[in-house]
Every structure is written in C-alpha cells, then in structure tokens.
C-alpha cells in the first residue's frame, strides 16, 4: 500500500477549513523568512498557499541575509505582543550568524506553531503535548489513517534532530511502541532497521535505506527530502523497498503535504486557545 500524503492532507485541510470558518475571526499566521535560500522560499510559498486554502490569514516578513539577530528578535518581540497574531513561524535554516536556538526560544510558546520552543518540547517529552512539531504529527496522522496498531511494535527512527527524529520517537513511545533511535554514529544501521515493524527515516541521505535493510511487511515512512540530479528523492530506495513493505510513503507526495496540513492545524489550535483565553 502506498500511503497517499497528498490525499490525506487534502482531507485534513478540508476539516481544518470548516473549523476555521466557524471562528469569530480568521486565525493569523506570521511567517518570517531571512535571506533567500531557494528551498526555504519554496516552503514559505507552500505554507502561504495552504493558508489561503483553509482560510488562515498569512503575513510574510522578509528580512535580508544580512539581518542581525537583534533585528530578528525585535520583530519576534513585536509579533509576540501583537494580539492579532496567533502563530509565528521562523523558516529554518537561518543564516549562520544567527542562533536558531536563541530565535526559537524568543517566540512566545503559545504562538510557536512549529512546536520547537523548549517549553513545547518539554511538554511533549513529559507526556502532555501542547503544540507538537508538524512533521512527526503528520506521520502519526498517516499511520492512524492505515489503522497501524502501535502497541508493542518495534519502531526504528533514523535521525535524531529536534524537529523530526526526537519528537517522532517520543510520539511513538507514547503510543507504546518499543523505539530505537539511530543516527550517524549508530553501528550496524542495517541490523537495527531490519528489526523494525515500523521504520521512520529522517536522515537527509538519498536512498540510505535499501531493500536489504527492511523487514518483509514493515511499514516504512520516508521523511527525507533530497534535491538530486534525478529530482526530489527520499531517504528510502522507494522502488526496491516498496516491494517488501506492507505500506510505504512516496517522495514527493508523502510526508511533505501532511507537514503543511499539520501546520494549518497547529495555527488553528493556537488561535482557538487565544480566542478562548480572551473570552471571545
Ligand atoms: P538533520 O540534518 O537535522 O538530521 C539528520 C539526522 O539524520 C541526524 O540525526 C543525523 O545523525 C542522521 N543521519 C545522517 N546521516 C545518517 C546516516 N548515514 N545513518 C544514520 N543516521 C544518519 O535533518 P532533519 O531532521 O531536519 O531532516 C531530515 C530529512 O527530512 C531531510 O531530508 C529534510 O529535508 C527532511 N524533512 C522533511 C520534512 C517534510 O515535511 N517532509 C520536514 C522536515 C525535514 P547525527 O545526529 O549523528 O548527525
């Protein structure tokens, strides 16, 4: 089975759009883009388009590559205190002279729709997620859509970044999977991945996972997005692995669209909470 992320994202966006239309005012998402990284510009455009589809108001702030950390912090501070702003997203990566952790920590946790703020991460890790990161949340939604039964399953997550690997592992742990996290220092990656009932790969290495590294009948989720001479490819050798997997996500059209849909969901949630807190 090929898990169609595009189709699932469409369904998720349709239900988000109907909830958005029931809000007293449209939620507002402010997206900050620093510099002109072509991939980042594409991602920001995709997010703006999704906002339009579901009825969220998006406001884009573009800063030059030369912008200072202080300038970015000043902008975030003004958005934090602006009551018309529900969500703030700083597109990563940032130029090298700006500390990503300083910037992420400066966003008000209530408006951190990416779920990367240490407060939101802490809540996620302690078992009471407030705003969970969009990509792992999208993966869970895809697994739910195929009726994946998590309990007692052996899950292997390849990658340990704060935005994908670590929160992914925690969400699976909370669903009673037995989770192994692999990374670039893992010895014998193939012997780990071959044990997986569920394999989630977020390494950013084209075709890292070959058929020989996958157990017959495993569910394989490919988070990787790699721009190569052959176009966009994932971290999994799709053609070979799809013959062994019971379910697999394609790249493109897999996890990517779900990530964007989950961002819309997180923005709606943040707006709902703010409306409730304001007693509207
Ligand atoms: P990072 O570069 O932050 O992390 C990559 C992780 O993979 C690291 O933990 C690294 O290990 C590990 N890794 C790298 N090479 C190997 C290897 N050969 N064997 C085992 N582990 C390895 O990337 P991200 O987590 O941000 O993203 C991962 C991929 O997912 C990228 O392709 C990215 O484009 C994509 N992505 C896709 C999204 C979507 O919506 N579809 C959203 C976000 C990301 P170590 O820690 O030791 O360095």
């Amino acid at each position: 089975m090929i898990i169609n992320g595009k189709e699932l994202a469409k369904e998720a966006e349709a239900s988000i759009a109907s909830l958005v239309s029931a809000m007293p005012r449209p939620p507002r998402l402010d997206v900050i883009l620093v510099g002109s990284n072509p991939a980042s510009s594409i991602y920001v455009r995709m997010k703006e388009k999704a906002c339009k589809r579901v009825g969220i108001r998006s406001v884009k702030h573009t800063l030059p590559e030369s912008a200072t950390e202080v300038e970015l912090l000043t902008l975030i501070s003004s958005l934090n205190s602006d009551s018309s702003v529900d969500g703030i997203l700083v597109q990563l990566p940032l130029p090298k002279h700006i500390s990503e952790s300083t910037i992420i920590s400066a966003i008000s946790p209530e408006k951190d729709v990416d779920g990367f703020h240490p407060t939101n991460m802490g809540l996620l890790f302690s078992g009471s997620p407030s705003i969970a990161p969009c990509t792992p949340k999208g993966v869970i939604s895809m697994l739910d859509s195929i009726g994946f039964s998590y309990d007692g399953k052996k899950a292997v997550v390849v990658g340990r970044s704060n935005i994908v690997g670590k929160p992914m592992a925690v969400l699976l742990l909370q669903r009673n999977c037995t989770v192994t996290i692999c990374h670039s220092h893992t010895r014998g990656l193939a012997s780990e991945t071959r044990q997986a009932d569920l394999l989630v790969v977020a390494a950013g290495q084209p075709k890292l996972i070959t058929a020989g590294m996958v157990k017959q009948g495993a569910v394989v989720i490919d988070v990787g997005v790699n721009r190569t001479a052959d176009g966009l490819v994932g971290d999994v050798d799709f053609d070979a692995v799809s013959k062994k997997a019971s379910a697999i996500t394609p790249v493109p059209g897999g996890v990517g669209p779900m990530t964007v849909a989950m961002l819309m969901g997180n923005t709606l949630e943040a707006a709902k909470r703010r409306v409730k807190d304001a007693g509207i």
Side-chain angles (χ1 to χ4, degrees), residues 54-110:
V54 302
I56 288 175
R57 181 178 164 213
S58 75
V59 178
K60 181 173 152 190
H61 306 264
T62 309
L63 273 62
E65 184 84 22
S66 59
T68 64
E69 193 169 285
V70 171
E71 282 169 324
L72 186 49
L73 288 170
T74 305
L75 172 58
I76 290 171
S77 166
S78 77
L79 298 176
N80 280 343
S81 52
D82 184 339
S83 62
S84 67
V85 177
D86 297 302
I88 302 171
L89 181 152
V90 178
Q91 184 64 46
L92 302 178
L94 289 169
K96 295 243 175 314
H97 63 279
I98 299 177
S99 155
E100 286 187 356
S101 64
T102 301
I103 296 304
I104 289 167
S105 300
I107 299 170
S108 159
E110 296 78 33

Coordinates of all heavy atoms in Angstrom, one line a residue, residues 54-110:
V54 N -7.2 27.1 3.4 CA -8.0 26.8 4.6 C -8.6 28.1 5.2 O -9.4 28.0 6.2 CB -7.3 26.0 5.7 CG1 -6.7 24.7 5.1 CG2 -6.1 26.8 6.3
G55 N -8.3 29.2 4.7 CA -8.9 30.5 5.2 C -8.1 31.1 6.4 O -8.7 32.0 7.1
I56 N -6.8 30.7 6.5 CA -6.0 31.4 7.5 C -5.3 32.6 6.9 O -4.9 32.5 5.7 CB -4.9 30.4 8.1 CG1 -5.6 29.3 9.0 CG2 -3.8 31.1 8.8 CD1 -4.7 28.2 9.5
R57 N -5.3 33.7 7.7 CA -4.6 34.9 7.1 C -3.1 34.8 7.3 O -2.7 34.5 8.4 CB -5.2 36.1 7.9 CG -4.6 37.4 7.4 CD -5.2 38.6 8.2 NE -4.3 39.7 7.9 CZ -4.1 40.7 8.8 NH1 -4.7 40.6 10.0 NH2 -3.3 41.7 8.5
S58 N -2.3 34.9 6.2 CA -0.9 34.7 6.4 C -0.2 36.1 6.1 O -0.6 36.8 5.2 CB -0.3 33.6 5.5 OG -0.2 34.0 4.2
V59 N 0.8 36.4 6.9 CA 1.5 37.6 6.8 C 3.0 37.2 6.7 O 3.5 36.5 7.6 CB 1.3 38.6 7.9 CG1 2.1 39.9 7.8 CG2 -0.2 38.9 8.0
K60 N 3.6 37.7 5.6 CA 5.0 37.3 5.4 C 6.0 38.4 5.7 O 5.7 39.6 5.3 CB 5.2 36.8 4.0 CG 6.6 36.4 3.6 CD 6.6 35.8 2.2 CE 7.9 35.9 1.5 NZ 7.8 35.6 0.1
H61 N 7.0 38.1 6.5 CA 8.1 39.2 6.8 C 9.4 38.7 6.2 O 9.9 37.6 6.6 CB 8.2 39.3 8.3 CG 6.9 39.6 9.0 ND1 6.5 40.8 9.4 CD2 6.0 38.7 9.5 CE1 5.3 40.8 10.0 NE2 5.0 39.5 10.0
T62 N 9.9 39.4 5.2 CA 11.1 39.0 4.6 C 12.3 39.9 5.1 O 12.2 41.1 4.9 CB 11.0 39.1 3.1 OG1 9.8 38.4 2.7 CG2 12.2 38.5 2.4
L63 N 13.3 39.3 5.6 CA 14.5 40.0 6.1 C 15.7 39.6 5.2 O 15.7 38.5 4.8 CB 14.8 39.7 7.6 CG 14.1 40.5 8.6 CD1 12.6 40.4 8.6 CD2 14.6 40.2 10.0
P64 N 16.6 40.6 5.0 CA 17.7 40.2 4.1 C 18.7 39.3 4.9 O 18.6 39.2 6.1 CB 18.4 41.6 3.9 CG 18.0 42.4 5.1 CD 16.6 42.0 5.4
E65 N 19.5 38.6 4.1 CA 20.5 37.6 4.6 C 21.4 38.3 5.7 O 21.8 37.7 6.6 CB 21.4 37.2 3.4 CG 22.4 36.1 3.7 CD 21.9 34.7 3.7 OE1 20.8 34.5 3.1 OE2 22.5 33.8 4.3
S66 N 21.6 39.6 5.5 CA 22.5 40.4 6.4 C 21.8 40.8 7.7 O 22.4 41.4 8.6 CB 23.0 41.6 5.7 OG 21.8 42.4 5.3
A67 N 20.5 40.5 7.9 CA 19.8 40.9 9.1 C 20.5 40.4 10.3 O 21.0 39.3 10.3 CB 18.3 40.4 9.0
T68 N 20.5 41.2 11.4 CA 21.1 40.8 12.6 C 20.2 40.0 13.5 O 18.9 40.1 13.3 CB 21.7 42.0 13.4 OG1 20.5 42.8 13.8 CG2 22.6 42.8 12.5
E69 N 20.8 39.3 14.4 CA 20.0 38.6 15.4 C 19.0 39.5 16.2 O 17.9 39.2 16.4 CB 20.9 37.8 16.4 CG 20.2 36.8 17.2 CD 21.2 35.9 17.9 OE1 21.8 35.0 17.3 OE2 21.4 36.1 19.2
V70 N 19.6 40.7 16.5 CA 18.8 41.7 17.2 C 17.6 42.1 16.4 O 16.5 42.3 17.0 CB 19.7 42.9 17.6 CG1 18.8 44.0 18.2 CG2 20.7 42.4 18.6
E71 N 17.8 42.3 15.1 CA 16.7 42.8 14.3 C 15.6 41.7 14.3 O 14.4 42.0 14.3 CB 17.2 43.0 12.8 CG 17.9 44.4 12.7 CD 18.6 44.5 11.3 OE1 19.1 43.5 10.8 OE2 18.6 45.6 10.8
L72 N 16.0 40.5 14.2 CA 15.0 39.4 14.1 C 14.3 39.2 15.5 O 13.1 39.1 15.6 CB 15.8 38.1 13.8 CG 14.9 36.8 13.6 CD1 13.8 37.0 12.6 CD2 15.8 35.7 13.0
L73 N 15.1 39.4 16.6 CA 14.5 39.3 17.9 C 13.5 40.5 18.1 O 12.4 40.3 18.7 CB 15.6 39.4 19.0 CG 16.4 38.1 19.1 CD1 17.6 38.4 20.0 CD2 15.6 37.0 19.6
T74 N 13.8 41.6 17.6 CA 12.9 42.8 17.7 C 11.6 42.5 17.0 O 10.5 42.8 17.5 CB 13.6 44.1 17.1 OG1 14.8 44.2 17.8 CG2 12.7 45.3 17.3
L75 N 11.7 41.9 15.8 CA 10.4 41.6 15.0 C 9.6 40.6 15.8 O 8.4 40.7 15.9 CB 10.8 41.1 13.6 CG 9.7 40.5 12.8 CD1 8.6 41.5 12.5 CD2 10.2 40.0 11.4
I76 N 10.3 39.5 16.3 CA 9.6 38.5 17.0 C 8.9 39.1 18.3 O 7.7 38.8 18.6 CB 10.5 37.3 17.4 CG1 10.9 36.6 16.2 CG2 9.9 36.4 18.4 CD1 12.0 35.6 16.4
S77 N 9.6 40.0 19.0 CA 9.0 40.6 20.2 C 7.8 41.4 19.8 O 6.7 41.3 20.5 CB 10.1 41.4 20.8 OG 9.5 42.3 21.7
S78 N 7.8 42.1 18.7 CA 6.6 42.9 18.3 C 5.4 41.9 17.9 O 4.3 42.2 18.2 CB 6.9 43.9 17.2 OG 7.0 43.3 16.0
L79 N 5.7 40.8 17.3 CA 4.7 39.8 16.9 C 4.1 39.1 18.2 O 2.9 38.9 18.3 CB 5.2 38.8 15.9 CG 5.6 39.4 14.6 CD1 6.2 38.3 13.7 CD2 4.5 40.1 13.8
N80 N 5.0 38.9 19.1 CA 4.6 38.2 20.4 C 3.5 39.1 21.1 O 2.6 38.6 21.6 CB 5.8 38.1 21.3 CG 6.6 36.9 21.0 OD1 6.2 36.0 20.3 ND2 7.9 36.8 21.6
S81 N 3.8 40.4 21.0 CA 2.8 41.3 21.8 C 1.7 41.8 20.9 O 0.8 42.5 21.4 CB 3.6 42.5 22.4 OG 4.4 43.1 21.5
D82 N 1.6 41.4 19.7 CA 0.5 41.8 18.8 C -0.7 40.8 19.0 O -0.6 39.7 18.6 CB 1.0 41.9 17.4 CG 0.0 42.4 16.4 OD1 -1.2 42.3 16.7 OD2 0.3 42.8 15.3
S83 N -1.8 41.3 19.5 CA -2.9 40.4 19.8 C -3.6 39.9 18.6 O -4.4 38.9 18.7 CB -3.9 41.1 20.8 OG -4.4 42.2 20.1
S84 N -3.3 40.5 17.4 CA -3.9 39.9 16.2 C -3.2 38.7 15.6 O -3.6 38.1 14.7 CB -4.1 41.0 15.2 OG -2.8 41.4 14.7
V85 N -2.0 38.5 16.2 CA -1.1 37.4 15.6 C -1.4 36.1 16.5 O -1.2 36.1 17.7 CB 0.4 37.7 15.7 CG1 1.2 36.6 15.2 CG2 0.6 39.0 14.9
D86 N -1.7 35.0 15.8 CA -2.0 33.7 16.5 C -0.8 32.8 16.5 O -0.5 32.1 17.4 CB -3.2 33.0 15.9 CG -4.4 33.8 16.1 OD1 -4.8 34.1 17.2 OD2 -5.1 34.2 15.0
G87 N -0.1 32.8 15.3 CA 1.1 31.9 15.1 C 2.2 32.6 14.5 O 2.1 33.5 13.7
I88 N 3.4 32.2 15.0 CA 4.7 32.8 14.4 C 5.5 31.6 14.0 O 5.8 30.7 14.8 CB 5.5 33.6 15.5 CG1 4.6 34.8 16.1 CG2 6.8 34.2 14.9 CD1 5.2 35.5 17.3
L89 N 6.0 31.7 12.8 CA 6.9 30.7 12.3 C 8.2 31.3 11.7 O 8.0 32.2 10.8 CB 6.2 29.9 11.2 CG 6.9 28.7 10.5 CD1 5.8 27.7 10.1 CD2 7.7 29.1 9.4
V90 N 9.3 30.9 12.1 CA 10.6 31.4 11.5 C 11.1 30.2 10.7 O 11.4 29.1 11.2 CB 11.6 31.7 12.6 CG1 12.9 32.2 12.0 CG2 11.1 32.8 13.5
Q91 N 11.2 30.5 9.4 CA 11.6 29.4 8.4 C 13.1 29.1 8.7 O 13.9 30.0 8.7 CB 11.4 29.9 7.0 CG 11.7 28.8 6.0 CD 10.8 27.6 6.1 OE1 9.6 27.7 6.2 NE2 11.4 26.4 6.0
L92 N 13.3 27.8 8.9 CA 14.7 27.4 9.1 C 15.2 26.8 7.8 O 14.4 26.3 7.0 CB 14.8 26.3 10.3 CG 14.2 26.8 11.6 CD1 14.2 25.7 12.6 CD2 15.0 28.0 12.1
P93 N 16.5 26.7 7.6 CA 17.6 27.2 8.4 C 17.8 28.7 8.4 O 17.4 29.3 7.4 CB 18.8 26.5 7.9 CG 18.5 26.3 6.4 CD 17.1 26.1 6.3
L94 N 18.4 29.3 9.4 CA 18.7 30.7 9.5 C 20.2 30.9 9.0 O 21.0 29.9 9.1 CB 18.5 31.2 10.9 CG 17.1 31.3 11.4 CD1 17.0 31.6 12.9 CD2 16.3 32.4 10.6
P95 N 20.5 32.1 8.6 CA 21.9 32.3 8.3 C 22.8 32.0 9.5 O 22.4 32.1 10.6 CB 22.0 33.8 7.9 CG 20.6 34.2 7.6 CD 19.7 33.3 8.3
K96 N 24.0 31.6 9.2 CA 24.9 31.1 10.2 C 25.2 32.0 11.4 O 25.5 31.6 12.5 CB 26.3 30.7 9.6 CG 26.2 29.6 8.6 CD 27.1 28.4 9.0 CE 27.0 27.2 8.1 NZ 25.6 26.8 7.7
H97 N 25.1 33.4 11.1 CA 25.4 34.3 12.2 C 24.3 34.5 13.2 O 24.4 35.2 14.1 CB 25.8 35.7 11.6 CG 24.8 36.3 10.8 ND1 24.5 36.0 9.5 CD2 23.9 37.3 11.1 CE1 23.5 36.8 9.1 NE2 23.1 37.6 10.0
I98 N 23.2 33.8 12.9 CA 22.0 33.9 13.8 C 21.8 32.6 14.5 O 21.8 31.5 13.9 CB 20.7 34.3 13.1 CG1 20.9 35.7 12.4 CG2 19.5 34.3 14.0 CD1 19.8 36.2 11.6
S99 N 21.7 32.6 15.9 CA 21.5 31.4 16.6 C 20.0 30.9 16.5 O 19.1 31.6 17.0 CB 21.9 31.6 18.1 OG 21.2 30.7 18.9
E100 N 19.8 29.7 16.0 CA 18.5 29.2 15.8 C 17.8 29.0 17.2 O 16.7 29.3 17.4 CB 18.5 27.9 15.0 CG 18.7 28.1 13.6 CD 18.6 26.9 12.7 OE1 18.3 25.8 13.2 OE2 18.7 27.1 11.4
S101 N 18.6 28.5 18.2 CA 18.0 28.2 19.5 C 17.6 29.5 20.2 O 16.6 29.5 20.8 CB 18.9 27.3 20.3 OG 20.1 28.0 20.6
T102 N 18.4 30.6 20.0 CA 18.0 31.9 20.6 C 16.7 32.3 20.0 O 15.8 32.8 20.7 CB 19.1 32.9 20.3 OG1 20.3 32.4 20.9 CG2 18.8 34.3 20.9
I103 N 16.6 32.2 18.7 CA 15.4 32.7 18.0 C 14.2 31.9 18.4 O 13.1 32.4 18.7 CB 15.6 32.7 16.4 CG1 16.8 33.7 16.1 CG2 14.4 33.0 15.7 CD1 16.6 35.1 16.5
I104 N 14.3 30.6 18.3 CA 13.2 29.7 18.7 C 12.7 30.0 20.1 O 11.5 30.1 20.4 CB 13.6 28.2 18.5 CG1 13.7 27.9 17.0 CG2 12.5 27.3 19.1 CD1 14.4 26.6 16.7
S105 N 13.7 30.2 21.0 CA 13.3 30.4 22.4 C 12.6 31.8 22.6 O 12.0 32.0 23.6 CB 14.5 30.4 23.3 OG 15.1 29.1 23.2
A106 N 12.8 32.7 21.6 CA 12.2 34.1 21.8 C 10.8 34.1 21.4 O 10.0 35.0 21.7 CB 13.0 35.0 20.9
I107 N 10.3 33.1 20.6 CA 8.9 33.1 20.2 C 8.0 32.7 21.4 O 8.4 31.7 22.1 CB 8.7 32.0 19.1 CG1 9.5 32.4 17.8 CG2 7.2 31.9 18.7 CD1 9.6 31.3 16.8
S108 N 6.9 33.4 21.6 CA 6.0 33.0 22.7 C 5.6 31.6 22.5 O 5.1 31.2 21.4 CB 4.9 34.0 22.6 OG 3.8 33.4 23.3
P109 N 5.7 30.7 23.5 CA 5.3 29.3 23.3 C 3.8 29.2 22.8 O 3.6 28.3 22.1 CB 5.4 28.7 24.8 CG 6.4 29.6 25.5 CD 6.2 31.0 24.9
E110 N 3.0 30.1 23.2 CA 1.6 30.0 22.8 C 1.4 30.2 21.3 O 0.4 29.9 20.7 CB 0.7 31.0 23.5 CG 0.6 30.8 25.0 CD 1.8 31.3 25.7 OE1 2.4 32.3 25.3 OE2 2.1 30.7 26.8

